Amino acid sequence: MGDLLALMLTLIACIALTVGERKGQLAAVCALAGALLAKETVVLLPLALILLRPMGRSIGARLLRLAPLLVVGAAWLAYLLLTNVQAIDFAGPAYETSFGAHIVRTLLSYAQWSVDLSAPARDSASLGSHSPRPLGLLVHAILGLGAFLTRQRTELSSFGLTWWVLGLLPVLPLVRQQNLHYLYAPSVGWPWRSAQ
């Protein structure tokens, strides 16, 4: 439930930010703060908005518009790092992280799961019991090629691919917690990747 709540609040934050007024920015900050309290895995998602031209004419203008959300995300990451949140009781060994070869295996497995419709409701399943197949690599190759080929026509494919990657980045280092429900937030990028 935390993943879905965090996703909903992150989407509200992104929509509120498009208003462009102070009330919209305040609503966006509050929504993102709530999202991070529900599930910290959405912390990087607002960065994908940098790719959208309606957010501003230049990268600098987009960064300025996104600044409130980026500050909230950076503050939350600083809190997690400075308090050593992994050492407290509710985290523990279940959320052990490591930066090794398993990150590639996990990334390919998530990509494979995102297109595998044979078991659409296996939220309790763990990636540890599944070895990644070449399908995961093929999925990423197709997504990257699609974003590259449509980059002149639309930024939506690149936005969707970036949303996907930013949604997965926080969970890839997890050693023992690779579950299908971590795909909820990143998968919102799928419709944008196929946009014309």
Side-chain angles (χ1 to χ4, degrees):
M1 192 180 299
D3 293 273
L4 292 174
L5 179 61
L7 173 60
M8 178 193 71
L9 290 171
T10 301
L11 292 173
I12 289 171
C14 293
I15 292 167
L17 198 61
T18 63
V19 174
E21 301 170 3
R22 290 191 186 270
K23 289 181 183 178
Q25 288 185 334
L26 179 60
V29 165
C30 291
L32 185 62
L36 294 173
L37 290 172
K39 196 75 170 185
E40 63 279 352
T41 57
V42 296
V43 69
L44 299 176
L45 290 177
L47 285 171
L49 296 173
I50 290 174
L51 297 175
L52 298 179
R53 281 177 267 184
M55 294 299 293
R57 292 184 180 204
S58 67
I59 296 292
R62 295 174 203 172
L63 281 171
L64 187 60
R65 194 166 186 181
L66 287 171
L69 297 185
L70 300 179
V71 168
V72 170
W76 186 250
L77 287 174
Y79 164 75
L80 293 176
L81 292 172
L82 293 174
T83 59
N84 194 18
V85 74
Q86 287 184 326
I88 60 179
D89 290 339
F90 75 82
Y95 291 95
E96 176 187 349
T97 58
S98 173
F99 295 93
H102 78 283
I103 289 178
V104 173
R105 178 184 64 82
T106 303
L107 178 64
L108 295 178
S109 294
Y110 278 131
Q112 176 182 313
W113 276 17
S114 67
V115 295
D116 182 2
L117 302 179
S118 64
R122 50 182 185 182
D123 283 357
S124 61
S126 172
L127 288 175
S129 61
H130 302 277
S131 60
R133 294 177 228 148
L135 181 58
L137 186 58
L138 180 63
V139 167
H140 281 105
I142 290 171
L143 295 176
L145 181 62
F148 177 76
L149 293 176
T150 61
R151 73 189 185 286
Q152 299 296 329
R153 223 176 9 169
T154 179
E155 70 271 2
L156 292 179
S157 293
S158 296
F159 168 75
L161 180 59
T162 303
W163 183 283
W164 166 260
V165 170
L166 292 174
L168 284 177
L169 275 178
V171 299
L172 291 179
L174 296 175
V175 176
R176 295 184 178 88
Q177 290 290 323
Q178 293 93 19
N179 296 303
L180 188 62
H181 62 267
Y182 286 140
L183 278 176
Y184 293 163
S187 292
V188 169
W190 276 104
W192 302 107
R193 288 194 298 261
S194 58
Q196 295 297 328

